[in-house]
Amino acid sequence: MALMCVHTEAGAQTRSQLRDSLKVAADRLAYSPDSTDLRLKKAGYNLRLEQWAYAQDEYDYILKREPCNPAALFYRAYTNEKLHRDDFARRDYESLLTVVPGHFEGQLGLALLNQKSKRHTEALDQINRLVTQYPDNAVAYAARAGIEMEQGMVALAIFDYEEAIKRDSTNTEYRIDYTDALIRDRRTAEARKQLDELVRMGVARASLRDFYKRAK
């Protein structure tokens, strides 16, 4: 996913290294202040350091010059969420989806934002469209399952977690959420099997103690 490259590149760095990289990016930007790539790079380091306001300043600058820049729209939406500016985040996601209608992360971000904002019908409609568009994407099924769990649709969530696991069988987070759904649906025997499988996959049994207690 191309728009995540800045953050992936920075992800393995320590905070000290990130600050050093940020300084280098800022110094380079001083010589080329109109470089969109450099501003995106600097903003990426700001995000990794949780400097939300500084990141937003960069995205604002880019979008004044390039109102349809997909990367700036996506990451400004993310930044606005971190700043608890949900209405602004929604506008950025919607603008992004006007520019790139099938953008996976944009659709996912908007659906999750609407779920957080209690706009449940919109959120479910959007996540359903995402699954239809990306039927082989485990993330889409897991995200829909999370929304369904929040709305009390446990049986539907179980189905979607199963679909996510079929597509990404090594993802332990999906299995943990699936186990939680099974327990809520009183399918404790199946839940215990999932817990045993998680232990076989390397998850520490101690970290699953509460789940084992609930699955008795």
Side-chain angles (χ1 to χ4, degrees):
M1 294 177 283
L3 294 189
M4 301 303 291
C5 61
V6 170
H7 308 292
T8 300
E9 176 189 339
Q13 294 179 297
T14 65
R15 290 189 70 83
S16 176
Q17 290 171 327
L18 283 170
R19 285 192 291 269
D20 290 342
S21 296
L22 174 60
K23 184 179 184 305
V24 171
D27 289 345
R28 292 180 62 192
L29 187 59
Y31 289 99
S32 303
D34 293 331
S35 170
T36 297
D37 288 343
L38 285 177
R39 286 195 178 273
L40 287 172
K41 193 174 188 69
K42 177 183 175 293
Y45 292 124
N46 290 136
L47 287 187
R48 297 297 297 184
L49 289 164
E50 300 182 0
Q51 298 173 346
W52 313 122
Y54 287 116
Q56 186 180 40
D57 287 345
E58 299 298 346
Y59 299 130
D60 286 345
Y61 184 94
I62 293 167
L63 289 166
K64 283 180 183 177
R65 297 168 58 88
E66 304 174 27
C68 295
N69 185 290
L73 284 168
F74 176 72
Y75 285 120
R76 191 172 70 174
Y78 174 80
T79 303
N80 274 319
E81 284 196 69
K82 291 296 184 179
L83 291 169
H84 308 291
R85 294 158 50 93
D86 289 353
D87 287 342
F88 289 97
R90 184 174 292 105
R91 290 175 200 168
D92 281 337
Y93 281 130
E94 290 171 348
S95 295
L96 170 61
L97 293 172
T98 299
V99 177
V100 189
H103 193 281
F104 181 87
E105 294 95 334
Q107 292 182 84
L108 179 61
L110 182 58
L112 295 177
L113 176 62
N114 281 330
Q115 176 69 6
K116 183 177 75 171
S117 302
K118 309 301 182 185
R119 299 169 69 157
H120 301 306
T121 301
E122 289 179 60
L124 201 53
D125 287 346
Q126 288 158 350
I127 203 70
N128 283 336
R129 284 197 297 273
L130 190 65
V131 171
T132 300
Q133 292 171 17
Y134 297 91
D136 296 322
N137 192 300
V139 174
Y141 285 98
R144 185 167 70 177
I147 290 175
E148 290 163 342
M149 285 293 288
E150 286 190 25
Q151 296 187 26
M153 305 174 183
V154 180
L156 291 175
I158 287 172
F159 171 82
D160 278 331
Y161 281 130
E162 289 171 346
E163 292 300 308
I165 291 168
K166 285 178 187 176
R167 291 158 176 80
D168 186 1
S169 60
T170 62
N171 190 305
T172 55
E173 290 186 11
Y174 295 167
R175 289 184 182 273
I176 289 171
D177 290 338
Y178 177 45
T179 300
D180 179 57
L182 288 171
I183 293 171
R184 293 194 193 190
D185 204 39
R186 300 182 181 180
R187 294 164 60 175
T188 53
E190 294 171 70
R192 288 194 296 272
K193 289 181 181 178
Q194 285 299 315
L195 291 169
D196 292 341
E197 179 62 23
L198 282 163
V199 172
R200 283 193 291 271
M201 292 172 68
V203 177
R205 189 181 183 90
S207 68
L208 301 171
R209 185 178 296 117
D210 289 343
F211 286 100
Y212 272 109
K213 287 180 181 178
R214 291 172 56 209
K216 285 183 178 179

